[in-house]
Amino acid sequence: MAEGTVSSKRAAAADGGDRLSALHDDLLHCIISFLPSRQAVQTTVLSRRWRNLWRSTPCLHIDHREFAAKSPAAADEQAACNKLLRFASSLLEAHRAPVLESFRLHVGAQLSPFSVNTWIRRGIVDSRAAALEIAMAPTGAYWFAPSPPRDAAAARRLTTMRLCRVRLDGAFADQLRSGSSFPVLEDLALARCDCALQEMSSPTLRSLVIDCCQRFSSPIVSRSVTAPRLASLQLVFPKHATIQEAFSVNGGGAGGSRFRVSVAPSCGGDYFCFAYKDMSALLGSLRNVTTLELWRFSYRTVRTHSPNATQLGLFA
């Protein structure tokens, strides 16, 4: 009877011209999931049918840019920050989805680390998000990456993590290495992060992106990566980076799997030229690579020192 009533309401909505509201809740949730959370909440004005849909959508995206001040005055910026704080607190308190497919958080310089960390815990612990994205504004401070959820059920849903302008230290490296902290994490992307860690080791990672990450107190990139299940690695170096010989990559090869590595300089401008010893150290450190791609490198500096690579590509 209840299903018949719901179907009747949908049919009536369609007959009245509102065909979108006649769709099943799952489809409407999918549509709302493409919107930032503020816009998702604003869909309540569309019709009575949409009034509470945002409360159970499986994706949350809190973006400080939607609350940007209209002028650079300190008072306006603080007012915008307060508005964001009130919205985020109300959103997380009223949201009722039992689990999240994704939790995206883009935050600016005015927010306190306490508020940000509270939202992160809500996203990955209480809501057990399968995908987590944290991005700091270019002018913002760097926060440490979130601690893994202690609840086993929560930890076993987090498969994807993307961090931008986040500070990472040895504790994060320990969490990756343990396997129990992120037991199903397969996709990790780090962009412009302040990396104080020297080693990245994971028994579960299959895809890893390291994009212009370095210790910002030093221009030197020195890091080792060990991941036996790794199938794809993308390295993007800051234009003027120096690679010490300590940099090494040991990945792939598990079960005879293919291992693809792409190396490029940061976007924009000239071709990239490593010193010969840096280039040979990098290529010589790659293990179990089946496909190697080099982007925007000067041909004069490319000397192949990766004999395991079955395919080598040079791209402008």
Side-chain angles (χ1 to χ4, degrees):
M1 179 65 70
E3 179 62 25
T5 302
V6 172
S7 298
S8 298
K9 289 181 177 179
R10 288 178 183 151
D15 291 340
D18 186 3
R19 295 181 180 274
L20 193 59
S21 292
L23 296 175
H24 192 276
D25 282 1
D26 290 343
L27 288 175
L28 294 178
H29 283 150
C30 182
I31 294 171
I32 295 176
S33 295
F34 286 98
L35 300 174
S37 291
R38 189 186 190 192
Q39 295 181 28
V41 173
Q42 291 171 343
T43 61
T44 58
V45 303
L46 295 178
S47 72
R48 185 176 300 176
R49 171 88 166 84
W50 290 71
R51 185 167 297 170
N52 292 307
L53 283 173
W54 66 271
R55 296 178 184 270
S56 52
T57 183
C59 302
L60 289 179
H61 179 192
I62 300 174
D63 192 338
H64 77 100
R65 292 169 294 189
E66 289 198 290
F67 299 84
K70 295 182 179 180
S71 74
D76 289 343
E77 290 184 353
Q78 187 59 50
C81 178
N82 292 337
K83 190 174 183 179
L84 170 58
L85 289 170
R86 290 192 298 270
F87 169 80
S89 298
S90 298
L91 172 75
L92 296 176
E93 182 178 352
H95 196 261
R96 293 292 181 265
V99 295
L100 289 178
E101 293 306 314
S102 68
F103 182 75
R104 300 170 63 192
L105 182 60
H106 292 193
V107 295
Q110 300 296 323
L111 293 172
S112 70
F114 176 80
S115 297
V116 174
N117 290 333
T118 298
W119 298 342
I120 293 172
R121 284 194 298 271
R122 173 68 169 84
I124 66 172
V125 179
D126 297 343
S127 297
R128 295 182 290 167
L132 174 69
E133 178 180 325
I134 304 173
M136 308 300 301
T139 57
Y142 288 83
W143 272 279
F144 286 98
S147 298
R150 296 180 180 179
D151 176 44
R156 292 190 178 278
R157 293 199 79 249
L158 188 61
T159 60
T160 301
M161 186 185 300
R162 302 182 185 281
L163 306 176
C164 180
R165 299 187 184 91
V166 173
R167 181 179 294 125
L168 306 173
D169 62 3
F172 182 71
D174 293 340
Q175 292 162 10
L176 284 178
R177 187 188 308 109
S178 70
S180 59
S181 297
F182 299 112
V184 294
L185 184 65
E186 294 187 345
D187 184 355
L188 176 62
L190 308 177
R192 295 170 178 79
C193 289
D194 186 358
C195 290
L197 51 89
Q198 296 294 315
E199 176 189 9
M200 296 183 65
S201 177
S202 169
T204 62
L205 280 183
R206 297 185 62 83
S207 175
L208 174 62
V209 176
I210 303 176
D211 185 349
C212 294
C213 296
Q214 62 188 94
R215 188 71 174 112
F216 283 92
S217 60
S218 170
I220 296 176
V221 178
S222 175
R223 194 166 299 113
S224 65
V225 175
T226 302
R229 297 185 62 194
L230 201 62
S232 175
L233 172 64
Q234 181 179 351
L235 299 174
V236 182
F237 290 100
K239 185 174 180 180
H240 301 293
T242 298
I243 301 178
Q244 289 183 330
E245 293 187 6
F247 192 98
S248 64
V249 179
N250 188 2
S257 62
R258 301 184 65 80
F259 182 28
R260 177 178 179 176
V261 176
S262 175
V263 183
S266 58
C267 293
D270 304 330
Y271 282 90
F272 198 45
C273 295
F274 281 136
Y276 171 75
K277 64 176 182 179
D278 293 331
M279 192 65 183
S280 62
L282 171 63
L283 297 182
S285 72
L286 300 177
R287 300 288 184 270
N288 304 319
V289 178
T290 57
T291 300
L292 175 62
E293 298 177 353
L294 302 177
W295 293 83
R296 297 191 304 279
F297 281 85
S298 168
Y299 286 94
R300 291 181 302 173
T301 62
V302 175
R303 312 256 184 113
T304 304
H305 290 268
S306 186
N308 293 328
T310 58
Q311 298 181 46
L312 172 64
L314 304 178
F315 304 93

